Amino acid sequence: MLLDVRTVRETPGATLPFSFEADLSELPFYGETPLHDPVRVDGTLYNRAGILGVRETIRYAVDTNCARCAKPLHVEKTVEIDQVIADEVQNEEDDDILLIENDTVDAGEIARDAVIFDMDMVHLCREDCRGLCPVCGADLNEGECEHVRVS
């Protein structure tokens, strides 16, 4: 979603609220595509004392499996982003500022990047998940195996 920066650029204190849904279902993470539902983005383009920025609240769900016991998981996540935007950067090492192009900024790109950086490498059904027995495949969360465990 492209936001027109001209609406807030010249007026300190001005804001432009926005909301949209993004389809990131084809975005791959570690060999799977776990984003089946649309990503919900609510945000504001703002001018705070001449500093332009985009604030977003991004809500999404991850459908995957526990990395230890392989049970299906549905994890609801929320990410808060406050991104400063500018026409140019004074210091080329300052990669925290997003550049404005043609008086617009892409709120969808900001949300996509936030989801990518927020995604966990490993998802667990619970922190103390014991996983599966390496010998028989039994779910160790449901009890011990019937055989002697190999260490």
Side-chain angles (χ1 to χ4, degrees):
M1 169 177 221
L2 293 179
L3 302 174
D4 188 347
V5 176
R6 293 175 295 186
T7 59
V8 299
R9 181 187 304 271
E10 301 302 323
T11 310
T15 61
L16 175 67
F18 60 89
S19 294
F20 64 93
E21 290 185 344
D23 179 7
L24 301 180
S25 61
E26 294 184 18
L27 195 60
F29 291 98
Y30 311 107
E32 62 181 334
T33 51
L35 303 176
H36 301 146
D37 299 328
V39 173
R40 176 80 186 150
V41 181
D42 296 299
T44 305
L45 174 65
Y46 64 85
N47 179 336
R48 188 179 321 134
I51 304 293
L52 300 178
V54 177
R55 186 176 307 111
E56 293 183 349
T57 300
I58 304 147
R59 293 175 183 84
Y60 66 100
V62 178
D63 292 306
T64 188
N65 295 309
C66 177
R68 292 184 186 155
C69 70
K71 285 184 183 169
L73 294 177
H74 181 82
V75 181
E76 301 280 336
K77 300 193 73 164
T78 301
V79 181
E80 302 277 338
I81 294 294
D82 196 345
Q83 179 73 57
V84 174
I85 59 175
D87 290 308
E88 61 184 11
V89 292
Q90 301 297 324
N91 181 354
E92 291 197 21
E93 293 178 8
D94 193 356
D95 57 359
D96 291 339
I97 296 176
L98 182 66
L99 290 178
I100 299 167
E101 296 180 21
N102 300 321
D103 288 323
T104 62
V105 64
D106 191 344
E109 180 182 336
I110 294 170
R112 180 181 177 278
D113 290 349
V115 169
I116 290 170
F117 287 122
D118 186 60
M119 185 63 67
D120 296 320
M121 291 178 65
V122 174
H123 292 89
L124 300 175
C125 62
R126 61 184 203 225
E127 286 299 315
D128 64 341
C129 178
R130 296 178 61 207
L132 302 175
C133 172
V135 176
C136 68
D139 186 344
L140 298 176
N141 296 311
E142 297 175 4
E144 294 297 322
C145 297
E146 301 274 332
H147 65 279
V148 177
R149 301 218 20 219
V150 176
S151 44

